[in-house]
Amino acid sequence: MNGREFLRRVRRYARRHKLDFDSYSSRGKGSHGEVRVGVYRTTIPHGEIPTGTLASMLKDLHIERREL
């Protein structure tokens, strides 16, 4: 999964659960951005997201993998 697809899926998740969603491409260093879902936030790398990094990002957002 890449960063763009991750954002699309998380945005859809937030809509389904009636949570606030914000995405900031300028809030990270280099090619990283930030996403907020409800009160939780995480950093998103540009390009392909490794499996372990994806798991960590979902943990930061309190989202289970099967809910995406």
Side-chain angles (χ1 to χ4, degrees):
M1 178 180 311
N2 63 26
R4 208 177 266 182
E5 183 179 349
F6 178 79
L7 281 176
R8 188 173 62 244
R9 289 183 182 197
V10 171
R11 184 178 293 123
R12 196 173 349 161
Y13 170 85
R15 266 192 240 132
R16 279 194 315 255
H17 291 86
K18 296 180 174 61
L19 297 170
D20 291 331
F21 174 86
D22 290 313
S23 173
Y24 305 100
S25 60
S26 62
R27 287 233 176 149
K29 289 187 174 185
S31 62
H32 288 70
E34 184 178 280
V35 66
R36 292 176 188 242
V37 177
V39 297
Y40 304 108
R41 68 180 179 87
T42 192
T43 302
I44 301 177
H46 180 71
E48 281 298 312
I49 301 173
T51 307
T53 304
L54 177 62
S56 178
M57 291 164 55
L58 291 174
K59 184 177 178 183
D60 290 344
L61 296 174
H62 294 254
I63 299 174
E64 291 190 27
R65 171 86 171 152
R66 60 186 157 94
E67 293 184 15
L68 285 184

